[in-house]
């Protein structure tokens, strides 16, 4: 009862937060790619897509090492400035976990958003711009309403992928913070297949 509810709450809150951030970043990146003819912007958008091809365990290690270094720098600075020993701030927290999920799954949201944005004719954007709308206002008033079903799909894809992501979750989760994927793995490992 209560254990299952805690697992569902942990899993859904992580998945929802990651999906929301991924969709927001995907919209900004896809729109920047549409506005800018710059090869640098397109290269960054393509580099983001590489995360989906990398296994979760590799991403977990790749996130853990620089995050631990940043944590140590922050802890040293805070101790030097304020004289307080606070330990690690980011490593082993939900922040690290969401960051790893974003590295792995932002490509899913970005590709879905880019596909939806490609279906919107540039003439709609030109009309809004000719009426004096800024790029940000055009995005908010024209593109986002037209992209709503696409963005919902992108969010749902990221949400489901986060729910089933095991290696990164297993390596980076906070202490005593289990998800449905972790629980299913632990039950299967103990050969309690019916419960899993």
């Amino acid at each position: 009862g209560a254990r299952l509810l805690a697992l569902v709450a942990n899993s859904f809150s992580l998945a929802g937060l990651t999906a929301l951030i991924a969709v927001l970043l995907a919209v900004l990146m896809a729109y920047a790619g549409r506005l800018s003819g710059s090869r640098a912007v397109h290269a960054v958008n393509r580099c983001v897509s590489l995360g989906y091809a990398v296994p979760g365990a590799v991403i977990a290690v790749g996130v853990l090492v620089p995050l631990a270094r940043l944590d140590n720098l922050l802890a040293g600075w805070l101790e030097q400035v304020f004289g307080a020993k606070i330990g690690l701030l980011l490593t082993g927290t939900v922040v690290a976990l969401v960051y790893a999920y974003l590295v792995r799954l932002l490509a899913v949201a970005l590709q879905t958003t880019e596909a939806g944005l490609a279906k919107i004719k540039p003439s709609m954007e030109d009309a809004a711009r000719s009426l004096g709308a800024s790029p940000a206002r055009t995005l908010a008033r024209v593109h986002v309403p037209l992209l709503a079903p696409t963005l919902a799909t992108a969010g749902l894809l990221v949400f489901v992928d986060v729910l089933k992501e095991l290696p990164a979750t297993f390596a980076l989760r906070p202490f005593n913070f289990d998800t449905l994927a972790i629980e299913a793995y632990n039950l299967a490992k103990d050969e309690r297949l019916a419960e899993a």
Side-chain angles (χ1 to χ4, degrees), residues 16-145:
L17 178 63
T18 304
L20 179 67
I21 295 170
V23 167
L24 289 173
L25 288 173
V27 167
L28 293 176
M29 293 173 73
Y31 193 57
R34 182 177 174 122
L35 286 181
S36 170
S38 166
R39 287 186 179 171
V41 173
H42 290 289
V44 167
N45 286 359
R46 294 295 62 87
C47 283
V48 163
S49 299
L50 296 176
Y52 197 65
V54 179
V58 174
I59 287 177
V61 172
V63 163
L64 193 57
V65 171
L67 214 51
R69 185 163 288 171
L70 176 64
D71 256 350
N72 288 326
L73 286 172
L74 276 173
W77 179 78
L78 288 171
E79 185 177 352
Q80 185 179 6
V81 172
F82 299 108
K85 288 189 177 194
I86 57 162
L88 301 177
L89 294 172
L90 302 173
T91 307
T93 66
V94 171
V95 173
L97 204 47
V98 169
Y99 179 60
Y101 291 152
L102 287 173
V103 169
R104 176 135 167 71
L105 300 172
L106 185 56
V108 174
L110 181 60
Q111 289 173 356
T112 306
T113 304
E114 284 177 337
L117 201 55
K119 292 179 184 175
I120 298 174
K121 293 181 181 175
S123 59
M124 297 189 79
E125 186 172 333
D126 294 340
R129 299 294 296 278
S130 70
L131 292 171
S134 66
R137 190 165 174 82
T138 302
L139 175 63
R141 299 289 303 261
V142 176
H143 292 301
V144 170

Side-chain angles (χ1 to χ4, degrees), residues 172-191:
L172 296 172
R173 68 193 162 111
F175 184 68
N176 269 346
F177 187 89
D178 289 338
T179 64
L180 291 168
I182 298 279
E183 186 70 9
Y185 170 78
N186 286 334
L187 291 171
K189 181 183 71 171
D190 294 340
E191 295 186 12

